[in-house]
Amino acid sequence: MTDNNELLASTGDSSVESEYFSPIPDGYQKGKTKYVVVMGTVMSGLGKGIFSSCLAKLMLDKGLKVAPIKLEGYLNIDSGTLNPFRHGEVFVLDDGMECDMDLGTYERMLDQNLDRNNFSTSGQIYRDVLEKERRGDYLGRDVQMIPHVTGEVKLRLRTLAMKSNADIVFVEIGGTAGDLENAFYIEAMRELAYEEGAHSCCFVALTYILEPRILGEQKSKAAQLGIKQLMQCGIQPDIIACRASSPVNEKVRQKISIYSNVPISRVVSLADSASIYQIPAMLRECGMDFEVLRLLHIEDRIDLRRERTEWAKWCDFTDKIGKEKQEVVIGITGKYTSVRDSYASIINALEHSGIALGCKVKINWIDTSDITDKNAAEHLKDVDGIIVPGGFGVRGTEGKISCIKYARMHKLPFLGLCFGFQMAVIEFARNVCGLKKANSTEIEPKCSEPVIDILPEQKAIEGLGGNMRLGGQDMKLKPDTAAFKLFGNKQTVRMRFRHRYEVDPRYVETLEKAGLIFSGKSPTQPIMQILELPGHPYFIATQAHPCLTSRPLHPQPMFTGLVAAAMSNK
Ligand code: GLN
């Protein structure tokens, strides 16, 4: 039998002579990068991304380089066409990748920008394998799930390891052990651990401890079965994180330990927490960070002095959670008002700003389907400020416009995001400029005053996926405006975009003459990016999605501005 060194050395090309196949990027150094693999059992939605990002944060604080990657089971090439109602918000990275909302959790927790190397779907993996097959890269071999598809997965992880120069790559596998669609990912992780050798990979199984109300006690059976399922795939977990509504008791942890060959010190309780920003402290308390370092044999790589300063900064932030002295209510109008995940970044951005200002931000979800100019006051009577967020399609738009009109006329603090920016332009055009027929061609394709229209460069591109303006873009700010002040008198700022429509440049002069200020514009194209109304305490909107770049220790200024205005409005 060959040892795994030989196996690694023999890889790279596929030949009919050998069964070994595991493509390795040129220059890959085995042992340099370690892998922490986070998998779920029992059910989805356990917060694998939250767990993984919190653990990664602890390692980053210790001076280690970390790179997360989410492996999604679905066949879509990216998350762009996914309905946020089903799958949570579509998170957009600076390079334009549309991905799962977990990438937002990683960016916020690590205060680090990610890119398309940090996100993979089954669709991408199969696409790459099939493209290689068509190019003849497999040299006459029949292309198989093992070793070719799993080989492609390992190639991605090793490429990320090399590109990021990471000490640890955090691999989060979407779905749950036992799902057909992610089975090849789990198999790839088994192979990876074998090929990389001892102390190269740390497997974490997240599981859930049920506590049926009728029994009044915690039950571990579902967790045991879930872990067994993972073990049947050849994966021996090193750490088991038990999610539960309340702290998991010793007896249950013992039982799980016995059934899974994991010492009890590594079977940890992770009860629900009011804020995800408190989870890094929970992981530290149970010694998870050092367990992982020991398992991976990298205790000697850490910088404890750096950790002390980073941790102190973090605690300055988390110490403020729950101690807010004031409270404001922000209304968010939106189509997916019943699902918090659809607006995850906005909720996070409000939380960051609230904590920074010592103010608890409560959210009132407002369904705009029945809102009109006549009853807007009634619907908005309990809020101190409103956000009209991004969206697509017709439903509820007239209600949103009525809310914006009310905010404009009654000096209610208002922040418009993407679609909300477009609605603010329509409202102003109709009710201030007198363009009664003003609309967006997204809502009314044949409208006679298309103040919002499809981007000229996008008109040519057909099909739903792939014709949006995506990713990070610079904005030039106009001196002496509210936006300019919010961003600390910076000339240029960068935000992320995801839109197909924009202000038609032909209307800009009319809008500006009537008093609207476009305080942020594209430095190179006639694209309006921020608008504001002078004389109003806070009326500001942007074509971008500023929520995507708000970070716990660096709250996004447009959100901080809104919360501050809402506080004064109270
Ligand atoms: N539907 C609008 C557009 O395509 C806004 C998009 C959004 O809010 N993300 O331009």
Side-chain angles (χ1 to χ4, degrees):
M1 201 177 135
T2 176
D3 73 7
N4 54 7
N5 272 326
E6 198 180 316
L7 199 154
L8 265 191
S10 71
T11 53
D13 67 327
S14 173
S15 84
V16 278
E17 306 298 323
S18 164
E19 289 301 318
Y20 295 136
F21 171 82
S22 190
I24 309 284
D26 279 343
Y28 181 77
Q29 268 176 287
K30 194 177 137 183
K32 187 189 173 306
T33 302
K34 309 284 183 164
Y35 300 85
V36 171
V37 183
V38 179
M39 289 164 288
T41 67
V42 178
M43 64 184 194
S44 63
L46 293 178
K48 291 187 294 283
I50 294 171
F51 176 90
S52 176
S53 61
C54 293
L55 191 56
K57 183 210 161 22
L58 296 183
M59 299 300 166
L60 184 71
D61 285 355
K62 293 182 198 333
L64 298 176
K65 274 200 133 162
V66 300
I69 181 166
K70 169 111 197 229
L71 302 177
E72 285 283 13
Y74 51 70
L75 286 163
N76 309 53
I77 297 291
D78 57 39
S79 311
T81 54
L82 296 185
N83 181 344
F85 186 71
R86 274 182 68 91
H87 208 82
E89 77 176 355
V90 178
F91 195 83
V92 184
L93 301 177
D94 192 79
D95 67 358
M97 183 73 193
E98 295 174 286
C99 56
D100 181 73
M101 58 185 283
D102 269 340
L103 277 275
T105 311
Y106 288 111
E107 284 204 341
R108 287 186 285 267
M109 209 46 103
L110 302 174
D111 198 1
Q112 190 169 298
N113 276 356
L114 302 176
D115 62 36
R116 56 189 67 243
N117 293 302
N118 303 98
F119 181 67
S120 173
T121 66
S122 295
Q124 291 177 24
I125 301 280
Y126 291 136
R127 177 198 60 194
D128 290 358
V129 169
L130 293 175
E131 277 173 9
K132 286 180 182 171
E133 188 276 328
R134 288 291 81 189
R135 279 204 308 265
D137 289 3
Y138 297 111
L139 305 173
R141 273 282 305 258
D142 45 338
V143 182
Q144 296 183 295
M145 289 301 281
I146 304 170
H148 303 102
V149 176
T150 54
E152 195 62 38
V153 177
K154 290 176 284 176
L155 177 65
R156 287 226 166 190
L157 302 189
R158 288 172 172 141
T159 304
L160 173 63
M162 278 190 66
K163 280 194 177 153
S164 62
N165 205 16
D167 291 290
I168 310 179
V169 164
F170 282 81
V171 187
E172 177 196 343
I173 300 186
T176 315
D179 294 348
L180 195 57
E181 59 178 18
N182 68 14
F184 74 96
Y185 283 136
I186 295 177
E187 164 60 16
M189 296 306 104
R190 186 196 63 74
E191 295 170 16
L192 181 80
Y194 173 58
E195 292 171 11
E196 294 282 324
H199 311 295
S200 60
C201 294
C202 166
F203 289 114
V204 183
L206 250 71
T207 192
Y208 195 75
I209 308 300
L210 303 171
E211 192 169 355
R213 204 177 310 148
I214 197 159
L215 298 180
E217 62 170 330
Q218 294 180 325
K219 299 302 253 176
S220 66
K221 180 63 92 196
Q224 288 173 37
L225 291 174
I227 293 159
K228 200 159 269 175
Q229 187 128 32
L230 208 52
M231 291 164 85
Q232 277 167 359
C233 305
I235 303 263
Q236 167 62 53
D238 298 295
I239 291 173
I240 297 176
C242 305
R243 294 276 300 107
S245 52
S246 48
V248 179
N249 67 50
E250 178 87 11
K251 245 182 71 189
V252 166
R253 287 172 48 230
Q254 285 174 355
K255 243 190 200 163
I256 292 179
S257 168
I258 296 168
Y259 282 100
S260 60
N261 314 319
V262 179
I264 186 131
S265 61
R266 290 196 244 122
V267 179
V268 298
S269 155
L270 266 191
D272 290 350
S273 156
S275 164
I276 70 161
Y277 301 119
Q278 278 153 342
I279 295 174
M282 284 163 76
L283 297 182
R284 260 169 75 108
E285 268 157 38
C286 55
M288 185 79 80
D289 45 352
F290 282 95
E291 289 287 357
V292 172
L293 292 171
R294 272 192 292 274
L295 285 163
L296 297 175
H297 283 203
I298 47 171
E299 300 107 304
D300 58 338
R301 293 194 200 174
I302 64 171
D303 176 350
L304 286 172
R305 270 181 65 184
R306 182 178 192 273
E307 179 181 41
R308 268 198 299 278
T309 45
E310 292 304 310
W311 189 246
K313 274 192 244 167
W314 182 253
C315 292
D316 283 346
F317 164 73
T318 54
D319 283 352
K320 292 187 213 146
I321 299 174
K323 302 201 184 72
E324 297 87 350
K325 294 208 171 58
Q326 208 184 324
E327 184 177 294
V328 294
V329 181
I330 301 292
I332 304 181
T333 65
K335 191 153 83 167
Y336 309 111
T337 46
S338 54
V339 178
R340 289 174 58 91
D341 275 1
S342 331
Y343 295 110
S345 291
I346 295 178
I347 298 172
N348 268 281
L350 285 172
E351 190 182 357
H352 303 158
S353 292
I355 293 169
L357 296 171
C359 177
K360 177 123 196 91
V361 181
K362 279 187 70 178
I363 294 173
N364 252 9
W365 298 102
I366 301 170
D367 183 353
T368 54
S369 316
D370 300 323
I371 300 186
T372 60
D373 283 359
K374 286 207 177 72
N375 64 18
E378 177 57 23
H379 281 92
L380 298 175
K381 69 178 187 326
D382 296 326
V383 305
D384 306 306
I386 64 163
I387 293 179
V388 178
F392 294 83
V394 181
R395 217 194 99 196
T397 51
E398 288 303 320
K400 287 176 193 172
I401 293 171
S402 294
C403 289
I404 297 170
K405 180 177 178 192
Y406 179 88
R408 179 175 60 76
M409 296 184 60
H410 296 85
K411 304 218 181 298
L412 180 67
F414 160 73
L415 176 62
L417 308 173
C418 201
F419 199 60
F421 166 92
Q422 299 172 356
M423 294 303 107
V425 170
I426 295 170
E427 191 279 319
F428 194 83
R430 284 186 193 171
N431 301 320
V432 182
C433 305
L435 302 171
K436 292 280 168 242
K437 295 264 157 55
N439 215 335
S440 161
T441 49
E442 177 179 6
I443 297 160
E444 196 190 333
K446 296 215 156 46
C447 90
S448 57
E449 302 283 7
V451 289
I452 305 294
D453 201 358
I454 203 147
L455 312 180
E457 77 255 35
Q458 312 290 43
K459 269 189 181 148
I461 316 169
E462 294 294 316
L464 251 191
N467 62 351
M468 282 207 270
R469 187 165 184 259
L470 287 168
Q473 301 278 346
D474 286 340
M475 278 188 200
K476 210 166 152 324
L477 299 183
K478 191 171 177 169
D480 301 323
T481 57
F484 190 70
K485 282 192 208 103
L486 275 179
F487 287 98
N489 297 351
K490 274 198 205 133
Q491 304 273 346
T492 313
V493 292
R494 193 172 175 82
M495 286 193 220
R496 294 192 194 160
F497 291 78
R498 181 173 187 250
H499 66 122
R500 200 172 279 128
Y501 296 81
E502 63 177 24
V503 179
D504 186 329
R506 288 175 305 167
Y507 288 94
V508 169
E509 204 188 322
T510 313
L511 293 160
E512 282 184 329
K513 271 207 178 122
L516 197 66
I517 294 180
F518 287 108
S519 46
K521 293 182 187 177
S522 157
T524 51
Q525 290 161 282
I527 302 180
M528 304 302 120
Q529 295 171 322
I530 300 181
L531 67 77
E532 60 186 72
L533 258 190
H536 188 290
Y538 198 81
F539 190 99
I540 193 159
T542 173
Q543 183 61 78
H545 293 263
C547 47
L548 299 178
T549 40
S550 183
R551 306 272 165 88
L553 304 187
H554 309 284
Q556 212 284 341
M558 299 183 88
F559 282 84
T560 313
L562 176 74
V563 175
M567 285 166 79
S568 333
N569 182 40
K570 218 170 166 74

